[in-house]
Amino acid sequence: MFSSIAPLARLNPFYAPHFQLVQDGPRKRAGPAEAPTTRRSLAAASAAEEYSCEYGSLKFYALCGVGGVLSCGLTHTAVVPLDLVKCRMQVDPQKYKSIFNGFSVTVKEDGVRGLAKGWAPTFIGYSMQGLCKFGFYEVFKILYGNMLGEENAYLWRTSLYLAASASAEFFADIALAPMEAAKVRIQTQPGYANTLREAVPKMFGEEGIWAFYKGVAPLWMRQIPYTMMKFACFERTVEALYKYVVPKPRSECTKGEQLVVTFVAGYIAGVFCAIVSHPADSVVSVLNKEKGSSASQVLMRLGFKGVWKGLFARIIMIGTLTALQWFIYDSVKVYFRLPRPPPPEMPESLKKKLGLTE
């Protein structure tokens, strides 16, 4: 029975090896002056392409953060109308029965301009989130990769992506929480406030600073699994596309072709992200609308069926959103001539240990 299950387990993209490689001598720890494999390969490639900074430098992290600001801030703001309808379907499913019905009711009551409600907190909040999400992901990815060492970083690369993205999102949600709370109030409570300038002082006067952070725990519940799936699925999908679908190596692809692969991988990752994070998203929407409720109380009241309301709208929104985010982020890297490591390959030392080379 085990012999039939083991091969299937190894095909799982989240598979991690059940063994540790034993080195001949004492393990050499990676010190500050010792660069990871990706850094060495990028240095070797610099003869063919001139980079604007070193991989893992402060300038590299800063420009990655800029890419995150643009990718998250612009895309989330662009889909505010769909996000508004999705939130209203979650908190008032009797009134907003479907996507099209939700748009129709909103336009009838608030006019076309009503579809843009909450754009300001969306832009500010998700720009801050993108800065931390993408910037810190690069930081933690390199940090954890150095801690694991060259061989284990390759063997456990999916776990590396999961750990780095979860760590980054923890801080990103703290940056997002205040604006997310204001956005939901504006979008789901008719007459509460029409602008961010109206909502912030009113929220602070009613509940104090807690009004802006009471949703941070549900945000972690929603965003950390979402981001873990977003980054790990994207990284492994890119690897699979270049290995099985794209008819030539990445090094032979033009920048435009590489960006197309980025967009496709981002959309695939986005669909999985939407499904994984939707129940917690429903809780966040209801929690920020109501006063005095806890996440567990909202979850029990919604029930299993209730937390999946608006899933189709979220799949459309998050799939498109995630694809565009990765496309913009990668485009920023291309524009600023940042190092862009190719899909990981097995280190030569590991190939020798496994007897894959002579």
Side-chain angles (χ1 to χ4, degrees):
M1 179 178 177
F2 178 78
S3 61
S4 62
I5 295 175
L8 293 175
R10 282 191 288 272
L11 291 174
N12 181 353
F14 296 101
Y15 165 74
H18 297 281
F19 61 91
Q20 288 288 337
L21 290 169
V22 181
Q23 299 184 354
D24 296 330
R27 180 175 177 179
K28 184 179 179 181
R29 298 181 63 85
E34 189 175 2
T37 306
T38 49
R39 191 170 297 178
R40 289 201 298 271
S41 63
L42 287 166
S46 63
E49 182 175 357
E50 187 71 24
Y51 295 117
S52 63
C53 61
E54 183 185 355
Y55 183 68
S57 64
L58 288 176
K59 182 179 179 181
F60 173 79
Y61 294 137
L63 290 175
C64 285
V66 170
V69 167
L70 294 174
S71 66
C72 291
L74 294 177
T75 53
H76 277 277
T77 305
V79 296
V80 160
L82 185 59
D83 184 44
L84 180 143
V85 172
K86 183 263 303 178
C87 287
R88 290 183 173 181
M89 286 172 62
Q90 290 171 331
V91 300
D92 194 354
Q94 300 302 319
K95 183 176 181 180
Y96 303 93
K97 298 179 175 61
S98 66
I99 298 176
F100 299 108
N101 174 256
F103 272 104
S104 176
V105 172
T106 300
V107 171
K108 187 180 296 184
E109 292 182 349
D110 303 324
V112 176
R113 291 184 64 182
L115 293 172
K117 271 190 175 182
W119 75 266
T122 297
F123 178 73
I124 296 169
Y126 282 94
S127 293
M128 295 301 297
Q129 188 212 35
L131 173 70
C132 298
K133 185 201 296 274
F134 283 92
F136 284 154
Y137 174 70
E138 301 288 356
V139 172
F140 286 116
K141 181 180 173 183
I142 292 174
L143 176 65
Y144 295 159
N146 287 341
M147 290 170 63
L148 285 172
E150 182 179 326
E151 293 176 355
N152 282 330
Y154 173 80
L155 287 170
W156 296 85
R157 60 193 181 281
T158 301
S159 299
L160 173 63
Y161 305 145
L162 292 170
S165 56
S167 301
E169 189 60 38
F170 176 84
F171 296 101
D173 289 341
I174 295 173
L176 169 65
M179 292 296 103
E180 178 74 2
K183 174 186 79 74
V184 173
R185 291 286 182 95
I186 293 169
Q187 290 181 339
T188 62
Q189 292 190 21
Y192 184 84
N194 290 320
T195 65
L196 181 61
R197 285 180 295 179
E198 292 176 20
V200 170
K202 192 172 182 178
M203 291 170 65
F204 184 78
E206 291 176 350
E207 300 179 61
I209 197 69
W210 176 242
F212 301 101
Y213 288 99
K214 71 175 185 177
V216 72
L219 265 180
W220 283 328
M221 291 166 52
R222 180 188 81 183
Q223 291 296 133
I224 290 179
Y226 162 82
T227 301
M228 291 171 72
M229 180 66 74
K230 173 180 180 174
F231 282 85
C233 186
F234 172 79
E235 298 268 21
R236 293 309 297 261
T237 302
V238 167
E239 188 178 335
L241 287 175
Y242 279 115
K243 189 174 182 180
Y244 300 110
V245 179
V246 180
K248 55 185 176 181
R250 180 181 182 269
S251 58
E252 296 177 12
C253 295
T254 65
K255 291 291 191 295
E257 290 169 338
Q258 292 177 17
L259 290 174
V260 170
V261 173
T262 296
F263 183 85
V264 172
Y267 209 104
I268 293 171
V271 172
F272 288 101
C273 289
I275 297 170
V276 167
S277 62
H278 189 74
D281 181 67
S282 298
V283 173
V284 170
S285 295
V286 175
L287 189 65
N288 281 320
K289 179 191 175 186
E290 299 177 353
K291 299 178 184 177
S293 296
S294 66
S296 58
Q297 290 171 337
V298 171
L299 186 61
M300 289 178 64
R301 189 168 69 254
L302 288 175
F304 179 80
K305 187 176 180 180
V307 297
W308 294 106
K309 285 284 185 182
L311 176 61
F312 181 66
R314 185 166 169 80
I315 285 177
I316 296 172
M317 183 181 79
I318 296 299
T320 306
L321 202 81
T322 306
L324 287 173
Q325 282 179 1
W326 279 114
F327 183 83
I328 293 170
Y329 182 63
D330 218 21
S331 297
V332 169
K333 282 187 168 183
V334 170
Y335 178 79
F336 286 112
R337 294 182 292 109
L338 297 183
R340 297 162 62 239
E345 295 182 358
M346 184 179 292
E348 289 299 322
S349 59
L350 186 56
K351 289 180 181 178
K352 291 178 181 178
K353 289 182 179 181
L354 297 177
L356 299 177
T357 58
E358 295 182 0

